[in-house]
């Protein structure tokens, strides 16, 4: 399971580099931070249950943040 967090870190790094190349600075910084966090967590050798709980917590926070941003911060013309 620890290897999966390193894989998540790799893909976050790829997305961050593509966003940086596309001049989306804030987006790329967000994914650079996530890549570092995933790589760091991947080398801590927690139990599988701990990794699963951390992933669920990450998914819940991401969903709440995305929902907040799309509802309250985006300018959507009606």
């Amino acid at each position: 399971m620890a290897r999966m967090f390193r894989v998540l870190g790799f893909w976050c790094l790829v997305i961050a580099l593509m966003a940086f190349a596309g001049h989306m600075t804030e987006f790329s910084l967000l994914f650079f931070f996530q890549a570092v966090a995933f790589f760091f967590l991947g080398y801590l050798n927690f139990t599988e249950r701990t990794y699963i709980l951390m992933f669920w917590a990450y998914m819940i926070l991401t969903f709440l943040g995305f929902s907040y941003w799309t509802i309250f911060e985006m300018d959507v013309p009606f």
Side-chain angles (χ1 to χ4, degrees):
M1 193 58 132
R3 189 177 298 168
M4 205 60 224
F5 269 73
R6 289 183 288 232
V7 169
L8 285 170
F10 168 76
W11 286 113
C12 282
L13 181 63
V14 168
I15 292 169
L17 290 172
M18 287 190 296
F20 189 71
H23 305 289
M24 295 184 278
T25 309
E26 296 87 2
F27 184 73
S28 66
L29 289 175
L30 176 67
F31 272 82
F32 278 129
F33 173 73
Q34 288 182 23
V36 169
F38 281 138
F39 280 129
F40 178 71
L41 290 172
Y43 284 104
L44 289 179
N45 294 326
F46 289 126
T47 63
E48 186 172 350
R49 179 180 173 85
T50 305
Y51 277 119
I52 290 171
L53 290 174
M54 283 191 303
F55 184 70
W56 274 103
Y58 166 76
M59 292 302 292
I60 290 169
L61 285 174
T62 303
F63 178 74
L64 290 174
F66 180 77
S67 297
Y68 171 80
W69 185 264
T70 55
I71 293 169
F72 298 113
E73 299 293 329
M74 286 181 66
D75 292 331
V76 180
F78 287 106

